[in-house]
Amino acid sequence: DAGVTQSPTHLIKTRGQQVTLRCSPKSGHDTVSWYQQALGQGPQFIFQYYEEEERQRGNFPDRFSGHQFPNYSSELNVNALLLGDSALYLCASSLLSDRPYGYTFGSGTRLTVV
Amino acid sequence: GESVGLHLPTLSVQEGDNSIINCAYSNSASDYFIWYKQESGKGPQFIIDIRSNMDKRQGQRVTVLLNKTVKHLSLQIAATQPGDSAVYFCAESPPGQGGKLIFGQGTELSVKP
């Protein structure tokens, strides 16, 4: 049984560009959360999706947006990239009825903005 | 604030010793706490959790202690092994926030063989 799958694993973008990161949740999970982890820091909550809607959002600007598809997979989009957006982006899936328990994290996408 | 600082605290121990990793959490209303282990190039991996109605919980070689009076968590690892080398994060879940996790800064554990 595959856990949380994220793609791509690594990505290099130029400042001002746009990027899309993808996440497939663990089988049986219906909720996807995204976190940003800067080097040397703990993950910070970006937002959470359930039933294709954003249900919770952290302190991130509108340049960060997301989407959840009917099959529960999710995308994170970041527009107008800044150097400070360089980080590891983590996707975590869970089952609504189990929240906040039962989170499973993916290995992340390492985004470098140059 | 949430998770500040650029330099991770480091704990270095000898193989076979016991390790204690500490964490201060921010929200006195948080009712659920988790310890995660993160190895290089990987996402956080669940180690052990505890609810706020408990003050101690034991797993295999690990124990979590919760002191709500001073908003403090600790993770004890018995007979530490080289495979335990990683960064360890505590996370709290405040009530009414849909399961959002707030992570601490993290501690890097280095185990010398």
Side-chain angles (χ1 to χ4, degrees), chain A:
Chain A
D1 173 33
V4 177
T5 304
Q6 292 188 243
S7 64
T9 55
H10 295 83
L11 200 54
I12 300 175
K13 287 287 190 177
T14 304
R15 189 173 44 185
Q17 285 188 316
Q18 178 264 344
V19 68
T20 298
L21 311 181
R22 295 176 175 82
C23 172
S24 292
K26 181 178 178 179
S27 178
H29 285 180
D30 56 12
T31 302
V32 172
S33 302
W34 287 92
Y35 288 79
Q36 180 195 64
Q37 186 176 22
L39 195 63
Q41 298 188 31
Q44 293 207 6
F45 177 79
I46 303 175
F47 42 52
Q48 184 178 79
Y49 277 84
Y50 171 71
E51 289 189 334
E52 303 178 50
E53 289 189 0
E54 182 183 295
R55 294 176 62 87
Q56 291 280 336
R57 189 177 182 94
N59 294 327
F60 280 81
D62 292 345
R63 298 186 297 108
F64 289 77
S65 63
H67 189 76
Q68 186 180 34
F69 299 94
N71 66 353
Y72 308 117
S73 66
S74 177
E75 289 181 349
L76 164 65
N77 301 293
V78 187
N79 294 323
L81 284 166
L82 304 174
L83 297 180
D85 295 331
S86 295
L88 180 68
Y89 288 85
L90 295 163
C91 172
S93 72
S94 59
L95 189 62
L96 175 67
S97 57
D98 283 348
R99 292 185 310 180
Y101 321 109
Y103 272 98
T104 300
F105 280 86
S107 293
T109 294
R110 172 70 64 186
L111 173 65
T112 302
V113 183
V114 297

Side-chain angles (χ1 to χ4, degrees), chain A residues 31 33 35 37-45 48 56-59 88 90 99-108 110, chain B residues 2-8 32 34 36 38 41-44 46 49 51 89 93 96-105:
Chain A
T31 302
S33 302
Y35 288 79
Q37 186 176 22
L39 195 63
Q41 298 188 31
Q44 293 207 6
F45 177 79
Q48 184 178 79
Q56 291 280 336
R57 189 177 182 94
N59 294 327
L88 180 68
L90 295 163
R99 292 185 310 180
Y101 321 109
Y103 272 98
T104 300
F105 280 86
S107 293
R110 172 70 64 186
Chain B
E2 300 174 2
S3 187
V4 297
L6 296 177
H7 301 286
L8 287 173
Y32 177 62
I34 315 163
Y36 286 97
Q38 187 173 25
K42 297 185 179 179
F46 174 92
D49 58 1
R51 300 190 191 196
F89 292 98
S93 179
Q97 295 195 31
K100 166 186 173 181
L101 296 178
I102 300 173
F103 283 79
Q105 181 183 15

